[in-house]
Structure formats: C-alpha cells, structure tokens
Amino acid sequence: MSEQIILTTGVYDLIKDHLRRKKTTAEEEKILLAQLRNAKQVLRRDLPKDVVTINCEVKIKDSSHPQEQKFVIVSEDKAKVKKGKYSVLSNIVLAIVGNKEGEIIDWPFENGDRKIEILSVEHIN
C-alpha cells in the first residue's frame, strides 16, 4: 500500500462524508482517516492514469478469490453489483481507491484481512 493515496476532491469528500456517517468498521475508519490525512488531492484532469478512482475499470487479484476480478467503479446511485458496477463507497473500492496499478493492499474486511493486488486501471470518459 502506498504511503500517499491520490484522490480527486470529489472522491475525497465522498469518503469523508461516508466516515462521518459511521458506515465503516472501526478498523477501516482508522485506516481511511490516516489515508485522508496524507492524501494528495488533485483535479480529475491531473489524476494519473494508473490511479483507481470513480469511472474507471479495475482488474484485481483478491486473496479470497481464485480468479481475477474486473469491475467498473461508479457513483453510489449507479452501482449494480450483478452487472459489475461497484459503488465508490463499497468495501472493496474503499480498500483500493486512490492507489496505483501494481500495488498490493492489505485490508481488514469484515470477514477477515485480505490482500488485494491492483492488476490494471483503465479510466472511462
């Protein structure tokens, strides 16, 4: 996991609001607050192409699944898990958002700690 995540101001504000509403576990909240404190905020046009954010397709390798997973990160109102569209505030996305392609993230999910490797990131316009 990188020392500093990179977020657009919009995604930063969404996560901050999500934390205020106590929608995460205490362990996730602790990690997310530390990440937000050190986060680099950028305009969408200045976001590096290899950083996970809203409106991108991500391929990951999750230690709890034998196969790679691919999904699109969308706003909460457009999320349809069965169609592979995950909310930017879903547990799996909160674990990887702001991180770069190639990074491996250790994350404390409710059903146990997992390692997530970000295999690819493709921004959708």
Side-chain angles (χ1 to χ4, degrees):
M1 183 168 5
S2 69
E3 301 266 327
Q4 181 183 49
I5 60 173
I6 303 170
L7 300 170
T8 61
T9 302
V11 171
Y12 179 94
D13 291 342
L14 281 173
I15 295 171
K16 205 161 186 162
D17 186 55
H18 191 65
L19 289 170
R20 261 190 234 111
R21 295 171 190 244
K22 301 292 184 195
K23 301 276 188 170
T24 59
T25 66
E27 204 171 353
E28 288 172 322
E29 180 179 7
K30 182 180 171 186
I31 293 169
L32 287 167
L33 284 171
Q35 286 182 332
L36 290 178
R37 255 191 311 278
N38 297 318
K40 178 179 179 183
Q41 290 186 58
V42 298
L43 297 173
R44 179 139 181 103
R45 69 174 179 258
D46 298 331
L47 191 71
K49 295 291 181 203
D50 62 347
V51 171
V52 176
T53 191
I54 198 165
N55 296 327
C56 73
E57 183 177 76
V58 179
K59 186 173 15 171
I60 62 168
K61 178 76 174 121
D62 183 336
S63 63
S64 69
H65 295 281
Q67 298 154 318
E68 295 173 353
Q69 295 174 276
K70 189 186 264 190
F71 53 87
V72 176
I73 300 170
V74 296
S75 58
E76 202 156 16
D77 61 323
K78 294 182 180 166
K80 289 184 172 65
V81 175
K82 288 183 180 177
K83 292 188 174 187
K85 294 181 178 183
Y86 286 66
S87 163
V88 70
L89 299 175
S90 65
N91 289 339
I92 188 72
V93 177
L94 284 173
I96 63 173
V97 72
N99 288 284
K100 295 179 180 178
E101 189 175 296
E103 291 189 25
I104 298 173
I105 293 99
D106 292 309
W107 196 259
F109 290 93
E110 285 184 14
N111 57 355
D113 291 357
R114 295 179 358 211
K115 283 188 185 307
I116 313 264
E117 181 178 2
I118 303 168
L119 300 174
S120 69
V121 177
E122 184 179 326
H123 290 249
I124 302 166
N125 294 330

